[in-house]
Amino acid sequence: MHDLPPDLPRLRTLETWLALQLDQVRQRIATVERQAAERQRGLDARPPVPDWVLERGLNRDSPPVAVHVGGCHMAGKRIKPISRDTALRALAEGVQACGHCRPDRDLGFVDG
């Protein structure tokens, strides 16, 4: 490096500034690593995606709206995990099968 100051006082000042910058970089690295570890712990603690879900109506007294494969992006927020038997029973009782994830096909359900 040819652009460094020639005298000792300015070199010491530069050394101090660089040490402070290095400390800030190391602190930021530690913060980012901690955040990544927390994010991974959150992902690891998530419950598994259910095989089948039942989408409920707008209020508690309304009938179910649709049966979905677990993880279907069209399921909405009012869903309840259900078993394979419950999904088949719901389809047999006339609950609509989602047209996107097609749980009736995956369940082997034949209408009629």
Side-chain angles (χ1 to χ4, degrees):
M1 296 181 115
H2 300 288
D3 56 343
L4 292 175
D7 59 303
L8 189 57
R10 286 190 289 173
L11 285 170
R12 292 288 184 204
T13 301
L14 183 58
E15 177 186 36
T16 301
W17 182 82
L18 289 171
L20 291 171
Q21 291 299 306
L22 182 58
D23 187 48
Q24 288 179 355
V25 169
R26 287 179 175 158
Q27 287 176 12
R28 182 67 180 142
I29 288 171
T31 299
V32 170
E33 287 176 340
R34 187 182 69 251
Q35 289 170 343
E38 289 171 358
R39 187 172 25 261
Q40 188 59 47
R41 277 193 303 274
L43 292 173
D44 293 344
R46 276 187 173 170
V49 175
D51 292 334
W52 317 104
V53 294
L54 187 63
E55 184 176 358
R56 296 175 287 172
L58 290 176
N59 62 48
R60 62 183 170 163
D61 298 328
S62 62
V65 176
V67 176
H68 298 271
V69 172
C72 175
H73 67 280
M74 297 299 290
K77 294 184 180 183
R78 296 177 316 274
I79 59 172
K80 173 180 145 186
I82 56 174
S83 67
R84 177 182 177 83
D85 292 338
T86 305
L88 284 167
R89 191 174 328 110
L91 291 171
E93 292 172 357
V95 176
Q96 180 182 357
C98 173
H100 292 272
C101 64
R102 298 290 314 271
D104 51 344
R105 178 189 59 210
D106 292 348
L107 287 163
F109 179 77
V110 179
D111 192 14

